[in-house]
Amino acid sequence: MPHKLDGSREYRSFIDGLSAVGDTGYIIEGYATTFDVPYDFGMYGAKECILSTALDGADMSDVIMQLNHEGTPLARLSNATLELTRDSHGLHVKADIGGCQAGRDNYEAIKNGLITRMSWGFSIADGGYEWDEATKTSTITKISKVFDVSIVSIPANENTEIHARSYLDGVIEEVQRESLLRKQKRARLALKAKALNIR
């Protein structure tokens, strides 16, 4: 169930913004929420759905990333270690959490499959919530502010995800691509040489 710290923040155990995340070797990526698809939420068969337009105009000026909505910030929009992007699936998050020991420890927990889901803390705008009694579905239509995105032990939305990405993944992929291009070039040259020798 959602809980509120100060009467205005909503939290969901399941992120539009910057694209300048560096790479200290501790990059994590995933989805903090999904859009337009109801998911099980609460008791008695209740569901919740976040509309893809709910974040239009929302204040996301300084979102932080935490573990279970508390403790040391692991990444932050304002210092370009956190990137939030909306796409057709949901709210994609990319973060470099190598700037503190807590971040590096949590990277290892994600890498080892101990933490696999996300959550986020937000406030709903006035009139930004609808309830359908027939389907027992609450729909969030408008969010006024996003406070944090968190990696979590127990999610509300099982459709969220978080993964550790090794810095070497990108390097290895680039090396493999260059190697393939070299092989293709050699094959083309060999065919050309063979064609010239036949004549």
Side-chain angles (χ1 to χ4, degrees):
M1 291 296 289
H3 63 279
K4 299 181 181 183
L5 294 181
D6 61 7
S8 63
R9 291 188 189 188
E10 298 277 336
Y11 290 88
R12 299 295 184 270
S13 300
F14 38 79
I15 273 181
D16 251 296
L18 303 175
S19 58
V21 171
D23 195 339
T24 63
Y26 294 89
I27 300 294
I28 57 174
E29 293 188 77
Y31 282 90
T33 190
T34 51
F35 293 145
D36 303 321
V37 178
Y39 53 87
D40 293 337
F41 183 73
M43 300 172 64
Y44 312 113
K47 295 185 178 296
E48 183 173 73
C49 181
I50 309 292
L51 294 188
S52 58
T53 55
L55 285 169
D56 291 351
D59 178 0
M60 298 177 70
S61 57
D62 194 17
V63 179
I64 61 174
M65 172 179 274
Q66 294 178 290
L67 170 64
N68 293 321
H69 304 290
E70 59 188 20
T72 303
L74 308 176
R76 190 173 205 132
L77 275 177
S78 63
N79 75 346
T81 56
L82 179 63
E83 174 184 324
L84 308 174
T85 310
R86 287 187 283 179
D87 62 28
S88 59
H89 179 68
L91 212 51
H92 181 265
V93 58
K94 178 180 178 183
D96 183 341
I97 59 174
C100 64
Q101 188 60 50
R104 294 188 289 275
D105 290 344
N106 280 295
Y107 175 88
E108 292 301 323
I110 294 166
K111 182 179 175 182
N112 293 323
L114 296 171
I115 299 173
T116 59
R117 298 290 186 265
M118 296 195 72
S119 176
W120 60 327
F122 58 91
S123 57
I124 300 173
D126 289 342
Y129 172 88
E130 297 174 357
W131 172 253
D132 184 328
E133 181 61 35
T135 62
K136 299 203 179 311
T137 301
S138 63
T139 302
I140 307 297
T141 60
K142 187 71 174 169
I143 291 168
S144 60
K145 182 172 178 63
V146 178
F147 299 98
D148 74 274
V149 292
S150 286
I151 54 174
V152 294
S153 306
I154 302 173
N157 182 350
E158 289 289 342
N159 296 322
T160 62
E161 58 187 83
I162 190 70
H163 305 280
R165 178 176 68 78
S166 169
Y167 170 74
L168 291 176
D169 290 347
V171 174
I172 291 168
E173 288 169 6
E174 182 62 19
V175 168
Q176 289 174 336
R177 188 182 70 81
E178 289 177 1
S179 176
L180 179 60
L181 290 174
R182 282 195 299 273
K183 286 179 183 175
Q184 290 172 340
K185 186 175 182 180
R186 282 197 300 268
R188 284 194 302 272
L189 289 173
L191 285 173
K192 197 173 191 181
K194 186 175 180 182
L196 290 174
N197 288 335
I198 290 174
R199 294 176 185 167

PDB file of all heavy atoms in Angstrom, residues 17-21 82-85:
ATOM      1  N   GLY A  17      14.448  13.951 -18.581  1.00  0.00           N
ATOM      2  CA  GLY A  17      15.451  14.780 -18.002  1.00  0.00           C
ATOM      3  C   GLY A  17      16.772  14.811 -18.710  1.00  0.00           C
ATOM      4  O   GLY A  17      16.866  15.150 -19.860  1.00  0.00           O
ATOM      5  N   LEU A  18      17.800  14.557 -18.005  1.00  0.00           N
ATOM      6  CA  LEU A  18      19.162  14.792 -18.415  1.00  0.00           C
ATOM      7  C   LEU A  18      19.711  13.599 -19.174  1.00  0.00           C
ATOM      8  O   LEU A  18      19.209  12.501 -19.086  1.00  0.00           O
ATOM      9  CB  LEU A  18      20.019  15.078 -17.180  1.00  0.00           C
ATOM     10  CG  LEU A  18      19.546  16.238 -16.320  1.00  0.00           C
ATOM     11  CD1 LEU A  18      20.402  16.336 -15.070  1.00  0.00           C
ATOM     12  CD2 LEU A  18      19.609  17.539 -17.092  1.00  0.00           C
ATOM     13  N   SER A  19      20.776  13.848 -19.905  1.00  0.00           N
ATOM     14  CA  SER A  19      21.415  12.754 -20.640  1.00  0.00           C
ATOM     15  C   SER A  19      22.924  12.889 -20.536  1.00  0.00           C
ATOM     16  O   SER A  19      23.641  12.693 -21.495  1.00  0.00           O
ATOM     17  CB  SER A  19      20.980  12.778 -22.107  1.00  0.00           C
ATOM     18  OG  SER A  19      21.307  14.018 -22.685  1.00  0.00           O
ATOM     19  N   ALA A  20      23.394  13.278 -19.362  1.00  0.00           N
ATOM     20  CA  ALA A  20      24.818  13.536 -19.185  1.00  0.00           C
ATOM     21  C   ALA A  20      25.442  12.620 -18.142  1.00  0.00           C
ATOM     22  O   ALA A  20      26.457  12.953 -17.559  1.00  0.00           O
ATOM     23  CB  ALA A  20      25.015  14.991 -18.783  1.00  0.00           C
ATOM     24  N   VAL A  21      24.828  11.471 -17.886  1.00  0.00           N
ATOM     25  CA  VAL A  21      25.370  10.560 -16.890  1.00  0.00           C
ATOM     26  C   VAL A  21      26.731  10.067 -17.348  1.00  0.00           C
ATOM     27  O   VAL A  21      26.888   9.592 -18.460  1.00  0.00           O
ATOM     28  CB  VAL A  21      24.415   9.362 -16.661  1.00  0.00           C
ATOM     29  CG1 VAL A  21      25.076   8.295 -15.802  1.00  0.00           C
ATOM     30  CG2 VAL A  21      23.139   9.852 -16.006  1.00  0.00           C
ATOM     31  N   LEU A  82      22.132  11.168 -12.556  1.00  0.00           N
ATOM     32  CA  LEU A  82      20.840  10.500 -12.741  1.00  0.00           C
ATOM     33  C   LEU A  82      20.192  11.028 -14.010  1.00  0.00           C
ATOM     34  O   LEU A  82      20.201  12.238 -14.265  1.00  0.00           O
ATOM     35  CB  LEU A  82      19.935  10.774 -11.540  1.00  0.00           C
ATOM     36  CG  LEU A  82      18.525  10.174 -11.558  1.00  0.00           C
ATOM     37  CD1 LEU A  82      18.570   8.654 -11.570  1.00  0.00           C
ATOM     38  CD2 LEU A  82      17.732  10.673 -10.357  1.00  0.00           C
ATOM     39  N   GLU A  83      19.660  10.105 -14.814  1.00  0.00           N
ATOM     40  CA  GLU A  83      18.981  10.461 -16.062  1.00  0.00           C
ATOM     41  C   GLU A  83      17.619   9.785 -16.071  1.00  0.00           C
ATOM     42  O   GLU A  83      17.513   8.588 -15.814  1.00  0.00           O
ATOM     43  CB  GLU A  83      19.819   9.979 -17.249  1.00  0.00           C
ATOM     44  CG  GLU A  83      19.152  10.158 -18.596  1.00  0.00           C
ATOM     45  CD  GLU A  83      19.991   9.564 -19.730  1.00  0.00           C
ATOM     46  OE1 GLU A  83      21.240   9.649 -19.648  1.00  0.00           O
ATOM     47  OE2 GLU A  83      19.401   8.984 -20.647  1.00  0.00           O
ATOM     48  N   LEU A  84      16.563  10.554 -16.353  1.00  0.00           N
ATOM     49  CA  LEU A  84      15.201  10.044 -16.409  1.00  0.00           C
ATOM     50  C   LEU A  84      14.643  10.317 -17.792  1.00  0.00           C
ATOM     51  O   LEU A  84      14.680  11.448 -18.266  1.00  0.00           O
ATOM     52  CB  LEU A  84      14.337  10.731 -15.353  1.00  0.00           C
ATOM     53  CG  LEU A  84      14.883  10.718 -13.921  1.00  0.00           C
ATOM     54  CD1 LEU A  84      14.012  11.564 -13.009  1.00  0.00           C
ATOM     55  CD2 LEU A  84      14.986   9.299 -13.407  1.00  0.00           C
ATOM     56  N   THR A  85      14.087   9.290 -18.429  1.00  0.00           N
ATOM     57  CA  THR A  85      13.568   9.427 -19.782  1.00  0.00           C
ATOM     58  C   THR A  85      12.257   8.670 -19.916  1.00  0.00           C
ATOM     59  O   THR A  85      12.176   7.502 -19.536  1.00  0.00           O
ATOM     60  CB  THR A  85      14.568   8.852 -20.812  1.00  0.00           C
ATOM     61  OG1 THR A  85      15.863   9.400 -20.569  1.00  0.00           O
ATOM     62  CG2 THR A  85      14.132   9.188 -22.224  1.00  0.00           C
TER      63      THR A  85
END
